[in-house]
Amino acid sequence: KAVHYLVMLLLAVIPIPVMEIYKLVSSKLKRKEIEPTWENAVKYIDDIAGIRIICSFTTDIYRIATVIEAQKHIKVLKVKDYINNPKSTGYRSYHMLVEVPVYLSARVENVIVEIQIRTIAMDFWASLEHKMRYKYKSEIPKALSDELNDCAEVVSLLDERMMHLNTQIEEG
């Protein structure tokens, strides 16, 4: 029942063909050495449903996370702070794995949703990194990987400078 609803939800919100969704879910399960079924997708894939929140400043990220944590109907299951602990690739973002109630006509289903919160600059960097990862399926060339890591540092510095400028404007 929950699986059927989730499949219908995915079809409604993701503007890609059903077979593409199946391929994405199937490959993720196969990497985990799990039989690719919709039931297993719901059971073993935490980020099958997700929301990305883009904001202006790093401080906004933590304010938004605090607001989400304070919601009585949302249960925070896990937090990954890639801003204070960036991935080796340079990726920065704040991830929350939450459980939310989905109200159906006859019952309530709890659904796990991944929330990604990042700045505009972080999102720009992540979009390019994602594009590179899929273009170079096996391994990103070292020169490009190094350049991308350098850009991640620049993005982080940009976020800090923009936040500092904003603070001066608000105080000034």
Side-chain angles (χ1 to χ4, degrees):
K1 295 171 187 172
V3 172
H4 176 73
Y5 175 74
L6 187 57
V7 170
M8 297 309 293
L9 180 65
L10 286 171
L11 295 176
V13 298
I14 300 176
I16 57 176
V18 178
M19 286 311 292
E20 287 300 313
I21 294 171
Y22 178 77
K23 286 178 190 175
L24 290 169
V25 170
S26 181
S27 69
K28 202 166 214 181
L29 287 169
K30 286 178 183 175
R31 281 194 307 268
K32 295 180 177 203
E33 299 181 0
I34 298 170
E35 181 185 0
T37 65
W38 285 114
E39 289 81 6
N40 284 342
V42 171
K43 187 174 180 181
Y44 295 108
I45 299 178
D46 291 334
D47 61 355
I48 199 162
I51 298 169
R52 183 171 298 139
I53 301 169
I54 311 298
C55 55
S56 297
F57 306 106
T58 308
T59 52
D60 295 339
I61 293 171
Y62 294 103
R63 282 191 204 118
I64 291 166
T66 300
V67 168
I68 291 168
E69 289 169 355
Q71 301 302 306
K72 290 184 171 102
H73 62 283
I74 297 176
K75 180 180 178 185
V76 177
L77 303 174
K78 188 191 295 184
V79 170
K80 292 181 184 174
D81 185 346
Y82 296 118
I83 299 165
N84 287 316
N85 304 297
K87 288 187 173 185
S88 61
T89 60
Y91 177 79
R92 287 176 166 83
S93 185
Y94 192 88
H95 292 205
M96 301 175 80
L97 198 61
V98 299
E99 187 176 73
V100 298
V102 174
Y103 297 90
L104 305 173
S105 57
R107 67 188 185 287
V108 176
E109 290 284 341
N110 288 319
V111 177
I112 295 176
V113 177
E114 181 186 57
I115 302 173
Q116 297 177 356
I117 314 169
R118 56 175 77 144
T119 65
I120 298 163
M122 289 174 192
D123 190 59
F124 179 54
W125 182 94
S127 295
L128 186 59
E129 191 265 348
H130 183 79
K131 183 179 178 180
M132 274 183 22
R133 192 168 358 114
Y134 283 95
K135 178 173 173 65
Y136 300 101
K137 288 183 171 67
S138 57
E139 192 170 317
I140 297 172
K142 182 165 175 24
L144 284 177
S145 179
D146 290 346
E147 182 73 18
L148 192 62
N149 272 319
D150 290 347
C151 286
E153 288 302 315
V154 171
V155 163
S156 181
L157 291 172
L158 175 63
D159 274 337
E160 287 176 28
R161 289 182 68 187
M162 295 302 280
M163 193 166 53
H164 178 72
L165 281 171
N166 186 58
T167 302
Q168 286 181 330
I169 292 166
E170 287 180 350
E171 292 174 353

PDB file of all heavy atoms in Angstrom, residues 46 78-83 85 87 93-97 114-115:
ATOM      1  N   ASP A  46      16.906   5.548   1.650  1.00  0.00           N
ATOM      2  CA  ASP A  46      16.462   6.637   2.522  1.00  0.00           C
ATOM      3  C   ASP A  46      16.140   7.921   1.770  1.00  0.00           C
ATOM      4  O   ASP A  46      15.377   8.740   2.245  1.00  0.00           O
ATOM      5  CB  ASP A  46      17.538   6.952   3.566  1.00  0.00           C
ATOM      6  CG  ASP A  46      17.701   5.839   4.578  1.00  0.00           C
ATOM      7  OD1 ASP A  46      16.737   5.088   4.799  1.00  0.00           O
ATOM      8  OD2 ASP A  46      18.796   5.720   5.148  1.00  0.00           O
ATOM      9  N   LYS A  78      18.184  11.495  11.224  1.00  0.00           N
ATOM     10  CA  LYS A  78      19.633  11.609  11.083  1.00  0.00           C
ATOM     11  C   LYS A  78      19.981  12.969  10.494  1.00  0.00           C
ATOM     12  O   LYS A  78      19.237  13.510   9.693  1.00  0.00           O
ATOM     13  CB  LYS A  78      20.140  10.507  10.142  1.00  0.00           C
ATOM     14  CG  LYS A  78      21.653  10.389  10.063  1.00  0.00           C
ATOM     15  CD  LYS A  78      22.131   9.479   8.938  1.00  0.00           C
ATOM     16  CE  LYS A  78      21.721   8.033   9.129  1.00  0.00           C
ATOM     17  NZ  LYS A  78      22.278   7.144   8.079  1.00  0.00           N
ATOM     18  N   VAL A  79      21.127  13.496  10.900  1.00  0.00           N
ATOM     19  CA  VAL A  79      21.626  14.757  10.355  1.00  0.00           C
ATOM     20  C   VAL A  79      23.057  14.540   9.885  1.00  0.00           C
ATOM     21  O   VAL A  79      23.848  13.896  10.571  1.00  0.00           O
ATOM     22  CB  VAL A  79      21.585  15.876  11.427  1.00  0.00           C
ATOM     23  CG1 VAL A  79      22.330  17.119  10.961  1.00  0.00           C
ATOM     24  CG2 VAL A  79      20.156  16.227  11.793  1.00  0.00           C
ATOM     25  N   LYS A  80      23.358  15.064   8.692  1.00  0.00           N
ATOM     26  CA  LYS A  80      24.728  15.044   8.172  1.00  0.00           C
ATOM     27  C   LYS A  80      25.096  16.481   7.828  1.00  0.00           C
ATOM     28  O   LYS A  80      24.514  17.083   6.928  1.00  0.00           O
ATOM     29  CB  LYS A  80      24.837  14.165   6.927  1.00  0.00           C
ATOM     30  CG  LYS A  80      24.635  12.695   7.202  1.00  0.00           C
ATOM     31  CD  LYS A  80      24.776  11.891   5.922  1.00  0.00           C
ATOM     32  CE  LYS A  80      24.487  10.427   6.164  1.00  0.00           C
ATOM     33  NZ  LYS A  80      24.489   9.664   4.902  1.00  0.00           N
ATOM     34  N   ASP A  81      26.054  17.019   8.560  1.00  0.00           N
ATOM     35  CA  ASP A  81      26.480  18.400   8.351  1.00  0.00           C
ATOM     36  C   ASP A  81      27.743  18.404   7.497  1.00  0.00           C
ATOM     37  O   ASP A  81      28.856  18.322   8.002  1.00  0.00           O
ATOM     38  CB  ASP A  81      26.726  19.078   9.691  1.00  0.00           C
ATOM     39  CG  ASP A  81      27.047  20.551   9.562  1.00  0.00           C
ATOM     40  OD1 ASP A  81      27.348  21.013   8.438  1.00  0.00           O
ATOM     41  OD2 ASP A  81      26.999  21.254  10.586  1.00  0.00           O
ATOM     42  N   TYR A  82      27.538  18.505   6.180  1.00  0.00           N
ATOM     43  CA  TYR A  82      28.665  18.551   5.250  1.00  0.00           C
ATOM     44  C   TYR A  82      29.205  19.975   5.087  1.00  0.00           C
ATOM     45  O   TYR A  82      30.099  20.198   4.286  1.00  0.00           O
ATOM     46  CB  TYR A  82      28.260  17.991   3.878  1.00  0.00           C
ATOM     47  CG  TYR A  82      27.895  16.534   3.898  1.00  0.00           C
ATOM     48  CD1 TYR A  82      26.616  16.121   3.543  1.00  0.00           C
ATOM     49  CD2 TYR A  82      28.824  15.561   4.268  1.00  0.00           C
ATOM     50  CE1 TYR A  82      26.281  14.778   3.556  1.00  0.00           C
ATOM     51  CE2 TYR A  82      28.490  14.226   4.285  1.00  0.00           C
ATOM     52  CZ  TYR A  82      27.212  13.842   3.922  1.00  0.00           C
ATOM     53  OH  TYR A  82      26.876  12.505   3.934  1.00  0.00           O
ATOM     54  N   ILE A  83      28.675  20.917   5.852  1.00  0.00           N
ATOM     55  CA  ILE A  83      29.213  22.272   5.831  1.00  0.00           C
ATOM     56  C   ILE A  83      30.410  22.327   6.773  1.00  0.00           C
ATOM     57  O   ILE A  83      31.502  22.753   6.394  1.00  0.00           O
ATOM     58  CB  ILE A  83      28.139  23.308   6.222  1.00  0.00           C
ATOM     59  CG1 ILE A  83      26.997  23.251   5.214  1.00  0.00           C
ATOM     60  CG2 ILE A  83      28.745  24.710   6.304  1.00  0.00           C
ATOM     61  CD1 ILE A  83      25.739  23.940   5.661  1.00  0.00           C
ATOM     62  N   ASN A  85      31.730  19.599   8.009  1.00  0.00           N
ATOM     63  CA  ASN A  85      32.513  18.403   7.683  1.00  0.00           C
ATOM     64  C   ASN A  85      32.340  18.079   6.204  1.00  0.00           C
ATOM     65  O   ASN A  85      31.651  17.115   5.852  1.00  0.00           O
ATOM     66  CB  ASN A  85      32.046  17.213   8.538  1.00  0.00           C
ATOM     67  CG  ASN A  85      32.107  17.512  10.013  1.00  0.00           C
ATOM     68  OD1 ASN A  85      33.162  17.744  10.553  1.00  0.00           O
ATOM     69  ND2 ASN A  85      30.949  17.548  10.658  1.00  0.00           N
ATOM     70  N   LYS A  87      32.643  16.740   2.378  1.00  0.00           N
ATOM     71  CA  LYS A  87      33.103  15.480   1.801  1.00  0.00           C
ATOM     72  C   LYS A  87      34.480  15.711   1.166  1.00  0.00           C
ATOM     73  O   LYS A  87      34.865  16.852   0.902  1.00  0.00           O
ATOM     74  CB  LYS A  87      32.120  14.985   0.743  1.00  0.00           C
ATOM     75  CG  LYS A  87      30.811  14.462   1.313  1.00  0.00           C
ATOM     76  CD  LYS A  87      29.977  13.846   0.214  1.00  0.00           C
ATOM     77  CE  LYS A  87      28.747  13.158   0.779  1.00  0.00           C
ATOM     78  NZ  LYS A  87      27.998  12.450  -0.269  1.00  0.00           N
ATOM     79  N   SER A  93      26.838  20.809   2.210  1.00  0.00           N
ATOM     80  CA  SER A  93      25.384  20.894   2.289  1.00  0.00           C
ATOM     81  C   SER A  93      24.992  20.400   3.673  1.00  0.00           C
ATOM     82  O   SER A  93      25.816  19.835   4.390  1.00  0.00           O
ATOM     83  CB  SER A  93      24.740  20.018   1.203  1.00  0.00           C
ATOM     84  OG  SER A  93      23.339  20.158   1.185  1.00  0.00           O
ATOM     85  N   TYR A  94      23.756  20.633   4.053  1.00  0.00           N
ATOM     86  CA  TYR A  94      23.239  20.143   5.334  1.00  0.00           C
ATOM     87  C   TYR A  94      22.101  19.197   5.008  1.00  0.00           C
ATOM     88  O   TYR A  94      21.134  19.587   4.354  1.00  0.00           O
ATOM     89  CB  TYR A  94      22.742  21.324   6.176  1.00  0.00           C
ATOM     90  CG  TYR A  94      22.452  20.982   7.606  1.00  0.00           C
ATOM     91  CD1 TYR A  94      23.452  21.055   8.568  1.00  0.00           C
ATOM     92  CD2 TYR A  94      21.182  20.605   8.010  1.00  0.00           C
ATOM     93  CE1 TYR A  94      23.185  20.756   9.898  1.00  0.00           C
ATOM     94  CE2 TYR A  94      20.903  20.301   9.327  1.00  0.00           C
ATOM     95  CZ  TYR A  94      21.910  20.383  10.269  1.00  0.00           C
ATOM     96  OH  TYR A  94      21.651  20.074  11.585  1.00  0.00           O
ATOM     97  N   HIS A  95      22.236  17.939   5.423  1.00  0.00           N
ATOM     98  CA  HIS A  95      21.227  16.926   5.113  1.00  0.00           C
ATOM     99  C   HIS A  95      20.503  16.499   6.385  1.00  0.00           C
ATOM    100  O   HIS A  95      21.138  16.258   7.408  1.00  0.00           O
ATOM    101  CB  HIS A  95      21.879  15.689   4.496  1.00  0.00           C
ATOM    102  CG  HIS A  95      22.448  15.923   3.130  1.00  0.00           C
ATOM    103  ND1 HIS A  95      22.619  14.905   2.226  1.00  0.00           N
ATOM    104  CD2 HIS A  95      22.875  17.038   2.504  1.00  0.00           C
ATOM    105  CE1 HIS A  95      23.137  15.388   1.118  1.00  0.00           C
ATOM    106  NE2 HIS A  95      23.307  16.692   1.266  1.00  0.00           N
ATOM    107  N   MET A  96      19.213  16.384   6.244  1.00  0.00           N
ATOM    108  CA  MET A  96      18.388  15.859   7.336  1.00  0.00           C
ATOM    109  C   MET A  96      17.549  14.721   6.779  1.00  0.00           C
ATOM    110  O   MET A  96      16.926  14.862   5.727  1.00  0.00           O
ATOM    111  CB  MET A  96      17.455  16.948   7.877  1.00  0.00           C
ATOM    112  CG  MET A  96      18.156  18.167   8.414  1.00  0.00           C
ATOM    113  SD  MET A  96      16.989  19.468   8.893  1.00  0.00           S
ATOM    114  CE  MET A  96      16.471  18.838  10.503  1.00  0.00           C
ATOM    115  N   LEU A  97      17.567  13.600   7.463  1.00  0.00           N
ATOM    116  CA  LEU A  97      16.688  12.497   7.115  1.00  0.00           C
ATOM    117  C   LEU A  97      15.543  12.572   8.116  1.00  0.00           C
ATOM    118  O   LEU A  97      15.766  12.507   9.332  1.00  0.00           O
ATOM    119  CB  LEU A  97      17.441  11.171   7.235  1.00  0.00           C
ATOM    120  CG  LEU A  97      16.840   9.983   6.526  1.00  0.00           C
ATOM    121  CD1 LEU A  97      16.764  10.246   5.025  1.00  0.00           C
ATOM    122  CD2 LEU A  97      17.677   8.746   6.781  1.00  0.00           C
ATOM    123  N   GLU A 114      14.506  12.891   2.572  1.00  0.00           N
ATOM    124  CA  GLU A 114      15.787  13.559   2.785  1.00  0.00           C
ATOM    125  C   GLU A 114      15.612  15.035   2.457  1.00  0.00           C
ATOM    126  O   GLU A 114      15.096  15.380   1.397  1.00  0.00           O
ATOM    127  CB  GLU A 114      16.879  12.974   1.895  1.00  0.00           C
ATOM    128  CG  GLU A 114      18.219  13.668   2.140  1.00  0.00           C
ATOM    129  CD  GLU A 114      19.305  13.222   1.191  1.00  0.00           C
ATOM    130  OE1 GLU A 114      19.117  13.347  -0.035  1.00  0.00           O
ATOM    131  OE2 GLU A 114      20.347  12.769   1.685  1.00  0.00           O
ATOM    132  N   ILE A 115      16.024  15.884   3.384  1.00  0.00           N
ATOM    133  CA  ILE A 115      16.002  17.327   3.157  1.00  0.00           C
ATOM    134  C   ILE A 115      17.439  17.787   3.009  1.00  0.00           C
ATOM    135  O   ILE A 115      18.267  17.519   3.884  1.00  0.00           O
ATOM    136  CB  ILE A 115      15.319  18.080   4.321  1.00  0.00           C
ATOM    137  CG1 ILE A 115      13.892  17.578   4.526  1.00  0.00           C
ATOM    138  CG2 ILE A 115      15.356  19.582   4.079  1.00  0.00           C
ATOM    139  CD1 ILE A 115      13.207  18.139   5.766  1.00  0.00           C
TER     140      ILE A 115
END
